Structure formats: structure tokens, C-alpha cells
Amino acid sequence: VNEQPVVCFNVRKNYLAPYIMDTDLLKNYKKSFGKLDCGKSCIRFKRVDDLPLKTVETIFKEMAKRRK
């Protein structure tokens, strides 16, 4: 958005992780990820089925709105 990254993805041997560039926004949704391992700016998961996709979609949309 406006030539600034909104999210980056990292693939590791044991997990995948989207990195959310708005750490304050991620803090607001951490409870929605249940037992998933969340870092300061990432959400680590092993299978896509483990990730609440609607929540991730909401976060991405909010980040895009904030960056306009």
C-alpha cells in the first residue's frame, strides 16, 4: 500500500508465518489466534486449517485502510 509492505510471509521447516507490519493492530487480535504461536509481528502456524482466515482477512483490510 503506497509502496509500503503490509504483510510479508516466511516459510520455515516447521511452520509458516505472515508478518504483520502493524504490530499494534496484531496485538488487538492475538486472542483470536488461540493456541497459535504469535510473536511481536508474526503468527506461526503449521497448517492453513489452524489459521482463522477471516481474522487474518480483517487484519489485512484494516492495515490497508490505515496505510491510505
Side-chain angles (χ1 to χ4, degrees):
V1 176
N2 296 326
E3 298 184 27
Q4 295 294 317
V6 175
V7 66
C8 298
F9 289 90
N10 188 4
V11 179
R12 294 291 185 193
K13 181 179 178 181
N14 296 318
Y15 64 88
L16 302 161
Y19 283 77
I20 310 300
M21 298 301 141
D22 187 334
T23 56
D24 290 333
L25 182 60
L26 183 58
K27 285 179 191 176
N28 295 338
Y29 287 94
K30 275 195 176 181
K31 289 182 182 177
S32 301
F33 296 112
K35 294 182 180 181
L36 290 179
D37 183 20
C38 292
K40 183 177 179 180
S41 65
C42 70
I43 308 157
R44 296 177 197 93
F45 64 97
K46 292 184 181 192
R47 298 179 331 190
V48 173
D49 294 340
D50 296 338
L51 194 62
L53 295 176
K54 288 289 186 188
T55 302
V56 173
E57 178 183 9
T58 301
I59 290 171
F60 289 176
K61 286 179 179 179
E62 283 191 42
M63 282 192 305
K65 286 179 187 177
R66 289 180 179 198
R67 300 264 177 148
K68 287 183 180 182

